[in-house]
Amino acid sequence: MLSRLFLWVARCRWAPIEPRAYDRRMVLTDPIHVLLIGGGGREHALALGLSRSPMLKTLYATHTSNPGIARLAEPVDVPVSSEEIYRLKQFCDRKAIDLVVIGPEEPLALGWADQLRIRGDGTERWVFGPDARGAKLEADKSYAKQFMRSASIPTAEARIFDRPEHATEYLRSRDELYVIKAAGLAKGKGVVIPKTNEEGLNAIDAMMRGGVFGDAGKTILVEEMLNGTEVSVLALMDGKNIMILPPCQDHKRLGDADTGPNTGGMGAFCPAETISEQVMRQLETDVFVAAADALRRDEIEFRGVLYAGVMLTAGGPKVLEFNVRFGDPECQPLLARMESDLLELLVATASGRLDEIDLRFHEKHAVCVVLASKGYPKDPQLGDRITGVERAEAMDDVFVFHAGTKLDPDGNLITAGGRVLGVTALGETPELARKLAYQACKEIQFEGMQMRTDIASFAVTAPR
Ligand code: AMP
Ligand code: GLY
């Protein structure tokens, strides 16, 4: 019920568009060729959504070493790298790619969208994902903080340092809890929540002097520690329109009851009913419309997804971070619920036509449980044989998304990354979705498999 409401409130147009009767129109009239960049669970979920569209002619993918993606897409037959991005450009021309979908943050930060947007003949190709300037909202936390301040977007207070001695001096003068963040991209590991001042000082030393994150840790933020429930609110932006998607909740810590180290995400559910309609409205105006205005002010045309990691504090919602891509694993339960044609949605975003989309989601709830390898996140063990995936995915309303898997030379499925699989299930209620996801997880085995047992348990207990 609530999720239907969210969609209604969330369709906001920040540039005036002539009101018109709402009718279902096709964004595409002919099937198209698509290139998908990225190889994790998020991209497997995207590949599945795209492959279901009647408007897809061929799906090509850069990462067909992911067996889930390989089942759905043709491989790209040129080397894929920033140094040789011209090869991917040539590939797009040769295969007449109409839409490029960029999943992860690194290629966006490196300007792949800027490059691939231009065809060999100088005309423009659709790219889902912002240019490098827009991607800075994720790739440079110091820029993002200044951007949020200039747009009056509610966020945690922070000081920015590029000299370790100044950061150290500042820490010594503080007695409240704080969070230390590397400003650049650090594969989700650049945030330290120190328990003691000594831990904080060590983190500064490791980042700024020791170079654990290379250039990404040369500038750091010391941010006030916020308390509350964390939610992921994602919005599609096409340069003119904003479409807020049903909110999700991610579980970042490795262990049950939010214990252990931070990870890329051990599971997620959608919709997150812990967030009220009133707060969604507030986020719409104070975060997304404000961000869209500031992007326009800075002449950045943002065509992709803006993800706000939000802490629901006693003093109102505050943005912890911006990402410029779908969250992972959030993308998995989100897309599992999507009824609209994903291909048309991404084309509409990339071509400034979101106002033509009729966005629909299942009433059902979705829960995704991540199965991680032994040693994750510190030192993931790779190469372990995985069994039972076929049994799990044969279950109704269950999707098993491949994140860190590959086939060995004998064709056996083995672990090839920290987060191995995202087991996603749909159910009439959060309880049922959760139960089904865990039933499916029981079918899957590999050595040292790590899994939280409380994913979505607060969705289950939240008053409805
Ligand atoms: P970020 O990459 O900035 O999202 O940080 C990763 C995770 O660290 C977030 O998802 C939060 O769980 C936590 N975190 C980041 N900033 C803060 C903060 N200011 N207060 C409390 N927790 C935070
Ligand atoms: N799940 C958090 C992220 O994608 O950054």
Side-chain angles (χ1 to χ4, degrees):
M1 218 38 171
L2 206 54
S3 57
R4 181 178 281 172
L5 210 58
F6 278 152
L7 287 182
W8 180 77
V9 293
R11 175 165 288 126
C12 101
R13 294 167 180 162
W14 57 280
I17 296 171
E18 281 302 303
R20 63 176 173 77
Y22 212 82
D23 59 334
R24 166 97 183 96
R25 278 207 278 149
M26 300 291 276
V27 171
L28 289 166
T29 46
D30 295 305
I32 62 168
H33 297 293
V34 179
L35 168 66
L36 174 64
I37 295 175
R42 163 184 49 216
E43 287 77 20
H44 184 189
L46 285 165
L48 184 66
L50 291 169
S51 67
R52 288 178 164 174
S53 171
M55 299 318 263
L56 180 74
K57 206 185 278 176
T58 322
L59 178 63
Y60 296 95
T62 54
H63 288 65
T64 44
S65 59
N66 175 323
I69 296 176
R71 280 198 299 224
L72 303 165
E74 304 283 324
V76 165
D77 59 6
V78 296
V80 177
S81 72
S82 267
E83 294 71 42
E84 293 187 290
I85 190 70
Y86 70 92
R87 298 233 200 195
L88 205 55
K89 273 176 80 113
Q90 286 169 349
F91 176 88
C92 288
D93 287 339
R94 178 157 51 86
K95 298 289 186 184
I97 300 292
D98 302 286
L99 170 72
V100 179
V101 179
I102 306 182
E105 60 276 21
E106 289 92 351
L108 292 166
L110 290 167
W112 289 24
D114 314 52
Q115 295 279 337
L116 300 175
R117 213 180 289 284
I118 312 295
R119 288 200 183 91
D121 64 6
T123 58
E124 218 177 280
R125 169 182 295 117
W126 296 319
V127 176
F128 181 88
D131 291 353
R133 289 182 64 216
K136 246 182 119 177
L137 280 178
E138 174 166 1
D140 182 351
K141 286 184 195 285
S142 103
Y143 166 80
K145 190 59 76 179
Q146 286 160 25
F147 176 93
M148 285 191 258
R149 282 182 191 146
S150 76
S152 301
I153 292 173
T155 181
E157 290 297 326
R159 292 276 300 266
I160 300 165
F161 296 97
D162 51 19
R163 306 257 308 259
E165 59 277 19
H166 291 168
T168 307
E169 198 184 307
Y170 177 66
L171 278 207
R172 289 194 203 283
S173 71
R174 283 191 61 113
D175 24 285
E176 309 87 15
L177 289 174
Y178 50 79
V179 177
I180 297 176
K181 299 184 173 185
L185 291 180
K187 298 198 177 351
K189 295 185 182 147
V191 175
V192 176
I193 306 180
K195 288 192 210 72
T196 61
N197 226 13
E198 196 185 338
E199 261 182 56
L201 293 168
N202 289 343
I204 287 184
D205 221 38
M207 287 185 196
M208 302 185 83
R209 295 198 178 94
V212 280
F213 302 127
D215 283 351
K218 281 201 169 140
T219 299
I220 63 144
L221 284 76
V222 180
E223 195 168 280
E224 73 172 311
M225 169 92 177
L226 297 179
N227 288 305
T229 302
E230 204 177 325
V231 287
S232 310
V233 185
L234 282 68
L236 297 171
M237 293 178 134
D238 68 0
K240 296 197 285 284
N241 308 288
I242 301 167
M243 189 180 268
I244 301 185
L245 303 173
C248 305
Q249 208 163 318
D250 179 16
H251 299 258
K252 286 258 165 62
R253 300 292 188 113
L254 180 70
D256 283 357
D258 286 341
T259 53
N262 249 330
T263 69
M266 292 299 290
F269 59 93
C270 176
E273 296 190 335
T274 27
I275 187 163
S276 69
E277 190 196 323
Q278 186 205 343
V279 172
M280 283 301 281
R281 278 181 196 275
Q282 200 178 337
L283 292 174
E284 181 184 315
T285 50
D286 297 357
V287 176
F288 291 102
V289 175
D293 282 337
L295 286 165
R296 172 174 274 192
R297 174 200 67 199
D298 295 346
E299 295 179 1
I300 297 172
E301 195 168 64
F302 194 105
R303 294 185 170 190
V305 64
L306 183 65
Y307 162 142
V310 176
M311 191 72 96
L312 304 175
T313 74
K318 292 190 179 168
V319 177
L320 294 178
E321 63 162 345
F322 276 135
N323 294 323
V324 297
R325 39 137 187 114
F326 282 108
D328 201 5
E330 292 94 322
C331 186
Q332 302 174 42
L334 183 72
L335 294 192
R337 295 185 61 234
M338 190 176 279
E339 279 184 337
S340 308
D341 184 313
L342 180 67
L343 177 57
E344 294 224 357
L345 185 63
L346 301 190
V347 168
T349 310
S351 61
R353 296 165 66 190
L354 268 177
D355 53 315
E356 294 178 30
I357 284 288
D358 177 15
L359 186 62
R360 277 169 292 114
F361 285 89
H362 277 295
E363 286 289 306
K364 286 184 181 174
H365 293 249
V367 170
C368 168
V369 178
V370 168
L371 305 180
S373 56
K374 185 174 177 178
Y376 176 75
K378 212 164 181 247
D379 191 13
Q381 176 175 306
L382 311 181
D384 290 315
R385 178 91 184 267
I386 307 167
T387 58
V389 170
E390 301 78 10
R391 281 195 302 278
E393 61 190 2
M395 294 164 72
D396 279 346
D397 275 348
V398 172
F399 308 84
V400 181
F401 294 115
H402 290 248
T405 71
K406 66 176 188 183
L407 297 179
D408 72 9
D410 299 326
N412 299 311
L413 190 67
I414 57 170
T415 62
R419 290 187 291 170
V420 177
L421 295 162
V423 179
T424 304
L426 291 170
E428 298 296 334
T429 63
E431 294 87 330
L432 290 172
R434 179 168 188 270
K435 212 166 140 200
L436 184 58
Y438 278 110
Q439 262 169 17
C441 289
K442 275 203 191 127
E443 300 291 342
I444 300 175
Q445 275 162 3
F446 52 88
E447 202 200 304
M449 183 173 104
Q450 300 191 80
M451 162 183 93
R452 273 182 69 156
T453 63
D454 63 349
I455 300 301
S457 57
F458 30 100
V460 174
T461 51
R464 272 181 295 126

